[in-house]
Amino acid sequence: MGPRTLVIIALAANSFDAASVTASTQVRLVVDTEHTPDADVVSPLLDGCHFSTLNHQLFAIWAQMVTDESFEQVANLETKHPQYAGNGWANLTSATSSGKGEVSLRFGDAFSGNVSATMTMAGTSASSASSTSWTSSTSVLDVSNRVALVNRGLYHQGYALRGGAGYSGYVYLRCNEPVDLVAELVDQQGNTPLARAQLSCPGVGEWTQVQFTLTPSASTACGNFPTDTPPLDCISDPNDGCLRCGGSFVLALEQPGSVDVDAAYLAPDEWARFGNTEARREPVEALLAMGVKSLRFGGTFAWQAGYLWKEFRGLRPAREAYSAFHDPKEGASRGFGFFEVLELCQEAELTCILTMNILETPDDLADFVEYSLGDAASTSWGATRADDGRNAPYGLTHIQLGNEQYVEDLVGTFVKAAAAMEARATLIGLPGVLRYIVGTGRASDGPAIVADANTTVLIDEIVAAGLCSQTLFDWHIVPSAAAAAAPDAYALGEMAELLQARGCGEARLAVLEENQCDNFFTRALDDASAAAAIA
């Protein structure tokens, strides 16, 4: 059989306007894809995906629709539009036009974190309140005899709800006297009710989870919206657009009483989930269709003091938010973390790479290994995992220590951590199973890392610990066709030679971030050039 070829017609233009395309603007690229038996075998892990909490990336994959579920982002209120707190809730400090009800924020004694919301309705007779009707003319945000909390998701863009499809959720309520409230899905663009469920707070003075299901009667539409324009909080960025969708989630009090609200959750049912996971089906299926074989949960957020694995286990709504690197005033959710990612990787048959905080102690990292891989019946942390709701071990294989750390921060740190994890893995009968990744690469400067004297010290420590065969070095690059064409693209060859010279030739290099920060067509060409150079 002759050579197999892939013919690509690329348009040398800034837009794909068919009317402007001529033969002179076409470039013909022929790629020979014939496999040579004695050629180097390309790792099936060459195509992977990286995501993190940075810039709220979690909401691209997490099924949770409520942004700022536990009201912690209110700390950022002063820099947002006055009627908003954080990125999700509206009406947090507004009262109804009749002055008979209000929403206030409560600091301390929350179910999750430090902040909860209190809805109060006073001065209204029970009969008047009970007769309140929900019609298309009812205002969501400002109604006599009604006070409401409204969430429209990330940047207040709203939800693209699907009519006839199920959505489920819960909210934690606390009240001293029994009181009923409602959960609703609303098309705010037309002020139209789509679904409604009654919630009952039992009046025992303790936080109680109340569940609900909602099925909207119609879908909601979305349209483009300008950035940096109220009432949305979309920032101006050439890589991101802004949409305004009609869907809103509403919690409303329509009778006399007072109720505290915290830890709200709303997500589509199985029709939009990827298997039995907390992930949305469509983005995961898109990754798999692209040929992605590995998924990395890591990035800049791993530097934060609150990013510690033991804070991500246990009851999801009780996990407190923490300060995120990209905005220290906002509360980053712990609702989708290490173990939700491990569950997703198992369901999707992906190799999972988890980035751990360099501030984790060796003992805590060893506990992480036992919690993830230990038998529920014979190990202490395995039993804790079972108590947390999962009996079977997770498919943990790759652990990265740090992200874009200075090499000097890893000298005397990486090996202690990796040795502690390997010792625990050996104790539970799994020696040699794990791979440990060195989180170098700050400033994406490969040559500087190779030239750093601390790199040689670090390699020698890995050699002395006998961990070369289980060690990978993370190498972050800024892909470009020009860089890929260099004799030693990204200094990968130079680093490989240094590893060999120091007696650590079994160690491997892994490019876990390609930081080409645009979404234009040229990025595809740059990424392809980088992939060819790396392979």
Side-chain angles (χ1 to χ4, degrees), residues 322-345:
Y322 68 105
S323 295
F325 173 82
H326 57 280
D327 193 338
K329 290 185 177 181
E330 294 188 1
S333 176
R334 288 192 174 104
F336 194 95
F338 299 105
F339 305 109
E340 287 74 25
V341 174
L342 283 169
E343 289 173 346
L344 171 58
C345 288

Side-chain angles (χ1 to χ4, degrees), residues 280-310:
R280 295 169 50 226
R281 176 176 55 81
E282 289 184 352
V284 178
E285 288 184 348
L287 291 176
L288 296 178
M290 292 166 58
V292 166
K293 299 295 184 183
S294 60
L295 185 66
R296 176 184 181 239
F297 183 59
T300 307
F301 69 94
W303 297 346
Q304 300 308 293
Y307 179 72
L308 302 171
W309 80 265
K310 289 180 180 178

Side-chain angles (χ1 to χ4, degrees), residues 3 7 12 24 110 147 151 174-175 180 183 248 324 438 448 467 499 524 527:
V7 180
S24 62
V147 63
N151 195 287
R174 180 177 60 188
C175 55
D180 291 338
S248 298
V438 181
L467 290 172
L499 287 167
D527 284 349

Side-chain angles (χ1 to χ4, degrees), residues 12 17 61 141 151 177 201 255 293 368 381 383 454 518 527:
D17 182 359
I61 198 167
L141 293 177
N151 195 287
E177 300 292 337
C201 181
Q255 66 181 64
K293 299 295 184 183
F368 175 71
W381 278 103
N454 289 296
D518 68 57
D527 284 349

Side-chain angles (χ1 to χ4, degrees), residues 367 370-371 374-387 424 428:
D367 291 343
E370 185 176 317
Y371 182 91
D375 180 76
S378 60
T379 67
S380 175
W381 278 103
T384 300
R385 183 192 64 240
D387 290 341
R424 188 68 62 88
I428 62 176

Side-chain angles (χ1 to χ4, degrees), residues 8-18 21-22 25-27 521:
I8 301 174
I9 302 297
L11 303 180
N14 292 327
S15 65
F16 290 90
D17 182 359
V21 174
T22 66
T25 59
Q26 295 182 359
V27 177
F521 182 72

